[in-house]
Amino acid sequence: MREEESIIEGRNAVLEALRAKKPIDKLFVLDGCMDGPIRSIIREAKKTDAILNFVTKERLTQISATGKHQGAIAYVASYEYSTVEDMLALAKEKGEDPFLILLDGIEDPYNLGAIIRTANLAGAHGVIIPKRRAASLTATVARTSSGAINYTPVAKVTNLVKTMEELKKEGLWFACADMDGEVMYRSNLKGPIGLVIGNEGEGVSRLVKETCDYVISIPMKGDIDSLNASVACGVFAYEIVRQRGDAVC
């Protein structure tokens, strides 16, 4: 077990956690075992957003902290997830155009925590992350956010593209961060907007990028060609702040 993750082991403990609706990110069960308790765990897991993994006994033993997993291990998020609807409601409550940050495969918990911190300071109404292949709300993320995780909603969705299409119906436009995009100063980033930041190595995936309305970039004048994902997010976010007229002159 890694230090930043909460873990629950044992059939009864995992089943009760699911029934109590704890924010479980990942669930590991013994492949091929279909006795009553395991079937109940699988049934309850399918009612949630938890990623269900069927693994070998050796794999369970490897990730177990106690050696008494009984064929079931759950990783629990350190903080509760919010919903996209909550974010839109927050913007409406504040009388502001929605400003959301969507992360396409950010895997480093330090980057995620730093982005949540930036989102809070830049006045974003929430951060949206995908269910798979992405960092989740671990204690490391919470620490790196410097407390911002307590104030900035974070939602986990199954499909980013579908979520973006639904948000477009609510009037949002989406700007994709990419080195090949138009320089951000020349783009109109006012109004209801979603800023899309891609994976640390591969950037924004093709389908997500194609769903965006425009592609923006940061002018680079140095000898390397990219910024850290959380730093880039901060630069883009504050250009949005400036264009929205929220910047203090």
Side-chain angles (χ1 to χ4, degrees):
M1 179 183 69
R2 297 197 299 272
E3 176 273 333
E4 71 268 15
E5 291 174 317
S6 298
I7 190 170
I8 296 175
E9 299 188 41
R11 298 177 181 187
N12 290 336
V14 169
L15 184 56
E16 289 307 313
L18 286 164
R19 287 174 172 168
K21 301 188 184 304
K22 288 186 178 295
I24 293 177
D25 279 322
K26 298 177 184 178
L27 181 63
F28 297 86
V29 297
L30 181 60
D31 190 20
C33 181
M34 292 300 291
D35 60 18
I38 294 295
R39 284 201 305 271
S40 296
I41 288 171
I42 293 169
R43 183 175 61 251
E44 292 296 323
K46 289 181 177 179
K47 300 176 184 178
T48 74
D49 287 331
I51 299 173
L52 183 57
N53 301 278
F54 295 92
V55 298
T56 64
K57 184 177 181 180
E58 288 73 22
R59 175 60 177 154
L60 283 169
T61 301
Q62 182 183 31
I63 62 179
S64 172
T66 66
K68 301 177 182 179
H69 53 75
Q70 298 177 319
I73 295 176
Y75 284 168
V76 184
S78 296
Y79 285 77
E80 294 281 350
Y81 289 99
S82 186
T83 67
V84 176
E85 290 75 19
D86 289 338
M87 298 174 188
L88 297 178
L90 177 61
K92 184 176 182 180
E93 178 185 326
K94 291 184 174 182
E96 300 170 345
D97 287 327
F99 172 20
L100 306 180
I101 296 175
L102 293 84
L103 306 181
D104 185 15
I106 294 294
E107 298 177 322
D108 186 335
Y110 293 96
N111 272 337
L112 177 56
I115 288 170
I116 294 171
R117 182 178 185 178
T118 294
N120 179 265
L121 292 171
H125 301 106
V127 176
I128 300 174
I129 62 176
K131 179 177 177 179
R132 295 183 178 274
R133 295 183 292 277
S136 55
L137 296 185
T138 63
T140 293
V141 171
R143 286 195 301 272
T144 309
S145 79
S146 296
I149 198 171
N150 295 296
Y151 305 101
T152 299
V154 179
K156 183 171 63 171
V157 300
T158 301
N159 188 304
L160 271 183
V161 170
K162 182 178 179 181
T163 299
M164 292 166 68
E165 290 172 344
E166 291 172 350
L167 284 169
K168 284 186 177 185
K169 297 175 184 177
E170 300 291 332
L172 271 77
W173 293 73
F174 289 92
C176 169
D178 189 273
M179 290 185 296
D180 297 326
E182 181 178 43
V183 173
M184 61 183 183
Y185 306 125
R186 300 177 191 148
S187 299
N188 182 355
L189 305 177
K190 300 175 183 177
I193 191 165
L195 171 63
V196 182
I197 303 294
N199 174 273
E200 293 90 348
E202 301 174 0
V204 178
S205 61
R206 180 181 60 83
L207 287 177
V208 171
K209 185 175 180 179
E210 289 175 354
T211 307
C212 290
D213 298 290
Y214 39 93
V215 182
I216 57 176
S217 66
I218 299 170
M220 301 286 180
K221 296 185 178 297
D223 299 312
I224 57 176
D225 61 2
S226 65
L227 290 167
N228 170 276
S230 62
V231 174
C233 180
V235 175
F236 285 120
Y238 272 92
E239 176 58 17
I240 291 173
V241 170
R242 186 188 70 81
Q243 291 196 25
R244 288 161 69 98
D246 297 331
V248 178
C249 298

